Amino acid sequence: MLAVLLVLLVSSGAARADDELAHFNYAMNCQGCHLPDASGATDRVPNMNNFIGYFLRSAEGRAFVVHVPGVAAAPLPDDQLADLLNWMLLTYSPDQLPDNYKPYTTAEVASLRTEIESDPARTRIAILHDIAQTTPSLAHELANAPESAPGHNDH
């Protein structure tokens, strides 16, 4: 029993440490443009707050999140980048995640980040359109989201 309790305490502490590192990495690599609350800047930096989770409703959207230039080229090792993405999704957009949400793995991030999206604004619009087509209950919400409009730069 004591061993089980010790494992739970250690894993709980490790989870908090991972969250703290992910939050630190967000502050150092994302917050300057996306702001502390992930709201971005209208017409310049995409809002991720209550939004980024929608991308995980398709395989293309899931890959896109890692292909965005600021993510793919982030100066972080693959494991920390995976932790950062998972932390962002669960912190800023948990209600938009699909029911079958699976966290990014280190191997998945390592594979996906080798491809950097050359036209993120156009690709974002296409992916959101496809998600709206396959998930009609989201069509209105995604069609009216500022992130689906051209003019956003990706970081």
Side-chain angles (χ1 to χ4, degrees):
M1 178 70 169
L2 183 58
V4 171
L5 183 57
L6 184 57
V7 167
L8 290 174
L9 286 173
V10 169
S11 60
S12 173
R16 279 195 307 275
D18 289 347
D19 282 353
E20 287 177 14
L21 180 58
H23 187 209
F24 174 79
N25 282 332
Y26 178 83
M28 297 302 295
N29 296 283
C30 312
Q31 178 173 304
C33 297
H34 288 281
L35 305 179
D37 66 352
S39 63
T42 305
D43 293 330
R44 294 184 309 124
V45 179
N47 169 39
M48 295 187 296
N49 197 351
N50 296 316
F51 197 83
I52 192 172
Y54 287 128
F55 288 101
L56 274 68
R57 292 174 178 265
S58 77
E60 295 80 11
R62 184 178 178 92
F64 172 75
V65 169
V66 183
H67 292 163
V68 170
V71 175
L76 296 171
D78 298 330
D79 62 329
Q80 288 185 30
L81 185 57
D83 288 345
L84 170 58
L85 291 170
N86 294 324
W87 177 84
M88 286 172 32
L89 289 160
L90 294 171
T91 299
Y92 295 119
S93 195
D95 294 338
Q96 291 73 37
L97 291 170
D99 292 336
N100 64 347
Y101 165 69
K102 291 183 177 90
Y104 285 100
T105 65
T106 299
E108 179 183 21
V109 167
S111 174
L112 289 172
R113 76 187 302 193
T114 61
E115 183 180 328
I116 298 177
E117 178 58 52
S118 62
D119 191 351
R122 184 171 50 91
T123 301
R124 181 190 313 105
I125 291 168
I127 289 170
L128 293 174
H129 175 77
D130 290 348
I131 292 169
Q133 294 296 310
T134 60
T135 313
S137 61
L138 296 177
H140 178 66
E141 190 170 345
L142 292 175
N144 293 314
E147 290 75 22
S148 62
H152 287 286
N153 296 320
D154 285 276
H155 297 281

